[in-house]
């Protein structure tokens, strides 16, 4: 029988003064975004300019807010998904 030992070192200490930004839209943050172009399929790993995306809205559609920068798709939006509908939205990571 052996005991599992946990070691905290360096940046693994969950110190709130280090790590990624929590500012909406900052590089390294995630956002639920929708596409603005009908028929455009976006697959996992694809990069998309923020100008082609809109923040998802609470009503299942998309808002008028456009994110800045370049975003990597972490899900998938099919080409037949209706623009402005929740099916045309997925999780993105801002990479630049």
């Amino acid at each position: 029988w052996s005991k599992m030992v946990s070691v905290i070192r360096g940046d693994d200490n969950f110190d709130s003064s280090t790590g990624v930004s929590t500012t909406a839209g900052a590089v390294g943050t995630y956002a639920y975004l929708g596409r603005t172009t009908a028929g455009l399929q976006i697959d996992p790993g694809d990069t998309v300019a923020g100008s082609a995306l809109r923040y998802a809205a609470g009503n299942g559609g998309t808002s008028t807010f456009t994110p800045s920068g370049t975003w990597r798709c972490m899900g998938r939006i099919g080409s037949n998904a209706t623009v402005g509908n929740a099916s045309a939205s997925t999780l993105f990571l801002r990479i630049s």
Side-chain angles (χ1 to χ4, degrees):
W1 140 274
S2 65
K3 292 183 180 181
M4 183 181 244
V5 177
S6 202
V7 176
I8 298 176
R9 61 186 191 284
D11 288 337
D12 297 340
N13 64 4
F14 305 105
D15 182 354
S16 62
S17 66
T18 62
V20 298
S21 174
T22 57
T23 301
V27 173
T29 61
Y30 289 86
Y32 199 69
L33 304 170
R35 64 173 164 76
T36 60
T37 306
L40 174 65
Q41 180 170 306
I42 304 173
D43 292 315
D46 286 353
T47 57
V48 182
S51 59
L53 300 167
R54 298 291 180 272
Y55 283 95
N59 63 4
T62 55
S63 70
T64 57
F65 297 104
T66 303
S68 298
T70 302
W71 296 79
R72 181 171 314 282
C73 182
M74 305 306 280
R76 183 176 185 278
I77 299 174
S79 60
N80 60 346
T82 304
V83 171
N85 187 295
S87 64
S89 299
T90 194
L91 188 66
F92 284 82
L93 167 66
R94 182 163 179 199
I95 58 172
S96 67

